[in-house]
Amino acid sequence: QVQLVESGGGLVQAGGSLRLSCAASGSIFSINAMAWYRQTPGKQRQLVAAITSGGSTNYYADSVKGRFTISRDNAKNTVYLQMNSLKPDDTAVYYCNGRGFNGPLWTWGQGTQVTVSS
């Protein structure tokens, strides 16, 4: 079982930036697509960005396109989410996970809280 540990969240003013990190245990990290999701109270978890195993193809939700960048370092078993031009609507708990054909692959980590003040 892969364990996921997200970090890098915090409180930032609108227009600011944060860089999230997700460290994954296990040697299967490099062969799987990875993704970042976010969730706010009372709402379903939303896919924010995804990246293929080799990092060649990315997906972004329309709401973050042009502001967020997903990347990965397979040597470090880590996936990143660079978030720029943050908006209050970006406030959520952010999670990472492997992404398979049917969605998330592994047990969720604890997530990291991102709060954007106006």
Side-chain angles (χ1 to χ4, degrees):
Q1 178 64 286
V2 173
Q3 292 187 324
L4 303 164
V5 179
E6 300 92 346
S7 62
L11 173 64
V12 64
Q13 288 189 332
S17 298
L18 284 174
R19 189 194 195 203
L20 306 184
S21 298
C22 170
S25 65
S27 59
I28 62 173
F29 173 86
S30 63
I31 65 173
N32 287 287
M34 293 293 296
W36 282 96
Y37 302 78
R38 66 187 181 187
Q39 187 172 27
T40 54
K43 294 189 177 181
Q44 286 191 335
R45 209 162 295 188
Q46 172 194 19
L47 175 64
V48 174
I51 187 168
T52 52
S53 58
S56 61
T57 304
N58 302 337
Y59 161 85
Y60 297 97
D62 287 343
S63 58
V64 307
K65 204 170 291 184
R67 301 187 297 120
F68 291 10
T69 303
I70 188 171
S71 61
R72 66 191 295 163
D73 186 337
N74 287 342
K76 296 182 179 179
N77 279 13
T78 301
V79 61
Y80 305 97
L81 187 67
Q82 177 67 43
M83 306 187 297
N84 299 328
S85 302
L86 283 161
K87 305 175 181 180
D89 284 349
D90 296 319
T91 296
V93 179
Y94 284 72
Y95 303 85
C96 72
N97 211 315
R99 181 154 179 86
F101 182 77
N102 292 319
L105 293 174
W106 308 307
T107 301
W108 296 99
Q110 84 288 351
T112 186
Q113 175 72 48
V114 171
T115 302
V116 184
S117 63
S118 57

